[in-house]
Amino acid sequence: MFLIRKSEYSVNLLTKQNKIDSLANSLAKMEDSIRNMMKAVVDESTNVSEMLLQAKK
């Protein structure tokens, strides 16, 4: 039978929680980056559309 001491179990849980926190923070940063990139693409495509409309006049 495999026994884990309470202190080892607590350390394992803290380590796992830190990894989960780190992953959650990374995902939040990635979400913000993707949102900013998509906004930049939309803004730039709007600029291109406006330039094309002005060029047709």
Side-chain angles (χ1 to χ4, degrees):
M1 176 184 245
F2 183 70
L3 297 175
I4 298 176
R5 284 186 258 144
K6 187 176 181 180
S7 61
E8 289 176 5
Y9 183 71
S10 296
V11 169
N12 284 340
L13 283 180
L14 287 174
T15 301
K16 287 181 182 180
Q17 186 62 42
N18 286 341
K19 289 179 181 179
I20 291 170
D21 288 345
S22 177
L23 179 61
N25 289 336
S26 295
L27 289 172
K29 288 179 184 178
M30 185 174 71
E31 181 183 11
D32 287 341
S33 294
I34 291 171
R35 182 179 292 117
N36 290 337
M37 182 178 63
M38 294 301 291
K39 184 182 181 315
V41 168
V42 168
D43 291 345
E44 196 59 37
S45 65
T46 301
N47 291 341
V48 170
S49 293
E50 289 174 357
M51 286 178 13
L52 290 174
L53 288 173
Q54 288 177 0
K56 286 183 179 181
K57 292 181 179 181

